Amino acid sequence: MENTIKKALKGDPRAIARLISLVESESTFAHEIMKAIYPHTGKAHLVGVTGAPGVGKSTLVDKIISRYKELGKSVGIIAVDPSSPFSGGAILGDRLRMQQHALDPSVFIRSMGTRGSLGGLSRAAYEAALILDACGKDIVIIETAGVGQTEIDIVRIADTVILLLVPGMGDDVQIMKAGIMEIADIFVVNKADREGADKIVAEVNLMLDIAGERSWRPPVLKAIAESGQGVDDIIRAVEEHRLYLQKSEEGKKRRSSRIRHEVEEILRRDIARIVEKEWEERSSNDLIEALASRRSDPYTEAGRLLEDILGAAENSREVEGA
Ligand SMILES: Nc1nc2c(ncn2[C@@H]2O[C@H](COP(=O)(O)OP(=O)(O)OP(=O)(O)O)[C@@H](O)[C@H]2O)c(=O)[nH]1
Ligand SMILES: [Mg+2]
């Protein structure tokens, strides 16, 4: 394992892929890997790209990769597809589309389908992003489709969030409701070759006016991902936002809230595992029968379980202290 970590930190794509797989599958090595990785993180800029299915995220990301390559930056991409029950269609398409970059060692592309819980998915994506960061990627892009809670969770782990909209979607209000508008740092109205792009730009700007003064006013850009038009402006906006985060109070706040969140998430996951294991061992047919016939109740049983877990923790601490 040590060897794989060493290789990955030097940028070896195979070693990086292996680490991500191990962490994603919650292998017993996961903690060891993340502990070794963590001190090397904090250098990459994490960019979340989100928006409804089909708005052109992958097409845009593909163009962004090309541009970053020209600029001499190494890029890692994590494509998350929480909506699809199979890690099928769209992601395969993305793979093909981005294949022109696949042989380039400075670009690392990774797809993640639905495995485990939704919370687990954003966790896995974040850990993959940390690995890519530690292994020397300058930019890590996380692409995720949809406008639900999972996407919001996933983009929360990003430094800069790009939200794609397209003309004629007709459900602008829906998106605003979903709460994703508030977390966008850059708006991109893609498919600007279609009618109605200016109208959406105006609508979003109006919405931002209403939202009032903020220290970062998200720019609203137009793009035609297919031809690459507007990509330079997007990259410039990402860089401006990066500098803004470096200097501003807001940037500091984001960093500390993320760190707080990280420890909490790890705790939650570890505690959930202990609870699952204990409950598995304890939930005998007799006990379930007792609950079903109302001889006991779930609150009492949960309370006992918790007491036992805490008692066991207390004991092991005393043993350690002795
Ligand atoms: N007209 C037009 N079509 C575009 C543009 N950008 C992307 N498309 C097309 O829109 C379709 C969807 O593009 P994708 O890049 O796969 O969109 P996506 O947001 O990644 O889709 P999911 O990953 O499935 O959510 C493709 O057929 C693209 O060729 C654009 O600027 N103009
Ligand atoms: Mg896509």
Side-chain angles (χ1 to χ4, degrees):
M1 186 47 51
E2 234 171 89
N3 209 18
T4 310
I5 294 172
K6 217 180 272 172
K7 273 193 196 160
L9 287 172
K10 281 191 189 135
D12 180 307
R14 255 191 224 182
I16 297 174
R18 182 154 162 66
L19 292 190
I20 294 178
S21 296
L22 287 168
V23 168
E24 191 186 12
S25 64
E26 308 202 327
S27 117
T28 44
F29 292 114
H31 269 47
E32 184 193 330
I33 292 168
M34 292 315 297
K35 278 186 200 171
I37 286 294
Y38 201 83
H40 303 275
T41 62
K43 289 177 220 118
H45 191 63
L46 269 51
V47 180
V49 176
T50 192
V55 291
K57 297 177 294 294
S58 301
T59 312
L60 182 71
V61 167
D62 187 59
K63 293 295 192 308
I64 291 177
I65 299 170
S66 298
R67 190 72 192 106
Y68 272 130
K69 264 166 57 180
E70 284 166 20
L71 295 168
K73 306 256 192 215
S74 60
V75 195
I77 293 98
I78 301 160
V80 187
D81 190 359
S83 50
S84 150
F86 318 101
S87 77
I91 281 179
L92 254 174
D94 291 349
R95 278 251 170 99
L96 287 177
R97 207 169 305 122
M98 294 182 190
Q99 211 164 38
Q100 50 161 318
H101 304 295
L103 296 174
D104 185 327
S106 71
V107 179
F108 184 97
I109 302 173
R110 174 73 176 216
S111 299
M112 289 188 172
T114 32
R115 208 179 307 160
S117 62
L118 290 180
L121 184 62
S122 62
R123 191 69 224 149
Y126 183 53
E127 284 172 343
L130 286 177
I131 291 171
L132 290 171
D133 175 359
C135 298
K137 300 297 167 207
D138 301 309
I139 315 281
V140 178
I141 300 175
I142 304 169
E143 178 195 328
T144 168
V147 285
Q149 185 57 44
T150 326
E151 295 71 44
I152 293 178
D153 285 347
I154 290 167
V155 291
R156 276 227 173 95
I157 63 190
D159 297 305
T160 300
V161 175
I162 302 176
L163 175 62
L164 261 71
L165 303 168
V166 289
M169 209 159 46
D171 55 359
D172 313 353
V173 180
Q174 285 270 306
I175 296 167
M176 286 181 220
K177 260 194 215 148
I180 201 142
M181 297 303 251
E182 286 96 75
I183 59 165
D185 301 302
I186 297 167
F187 289 90
V188 172
V189 176
N190 190 38
K191 307 198 185 183
D193 51 320
R194 291 189 184 168
E195 210 176 307
D198 288 320
K199 187 166 156 265
I200 298 213
V201 171
E203 275 174 18
V204 175
N205 270 318
L206 182 65
M207 183 201 79
L208 291 171
D209 289 342
I210 293 168
E213 195 92 358
R214 273 194 285 175
S215 57
W216 171 263
R217 160 100 186 193
V220 187
L221 309 171
K222 279 196 287 186
I224 305 174
E226 229 158 29
S227 69
Q229 201 173 308
V231 169
D232 281 350
D233 288 344
I234 294 169
I235 285 185
R236 207 169 303 129
V238 170
E239 178 60 13
E240 267 168 33
H241 189 249
R242 189 182 71 82
L243 292 173
Y244 160 76
L245 288 178
Q246 256 176 18
K247 282 182 264 165
S248 65
E249 209 42 47
E250 170 71 20
K252 218 185 280 169
K253 234 192 276 170
R254 264 194 209 197
R255 275 188 296 275
S256 62
S257 103
R258 192 157 77 188
I259 287 168
R260 218 183 283 270
H261 199 65
E262 273 187 86
V263 178
E264 195 183 310
E265 281 287 301
I266 295 165
L267 269 175
R268 231 185 262 282
R269 185 176 57 186
D270 289 353
I271 290 171
R273 266 195 211 135
I274 295 171
V275 169
E276 268 162 34
K277 188 167 155 281
E278 285 288 327
W279 179 235
E280 180 92 18
E281 282 170 12
R282 193 185 281 230
S283 56
S284 62
N285 287 340
D286 285 350
L287 177 55
I288 301 301
E289 190 49 45
L291 287 167
S293 63
R294 304 296 190 266
R295 275 180 283 121
S296 180
D297 67 88
Y299 303 90
T300 303
E301 295 306 329
R304 277 195 191 131
L305 189 71
L306 189 62
E307 258 171 41
D308 287 355
I309 290 170
L310 293 175
E314 191 65 35
N315 280 342
S316 75
R317 232 195 331 261
E318 272 165 22
V319 171
E320 257 171 46

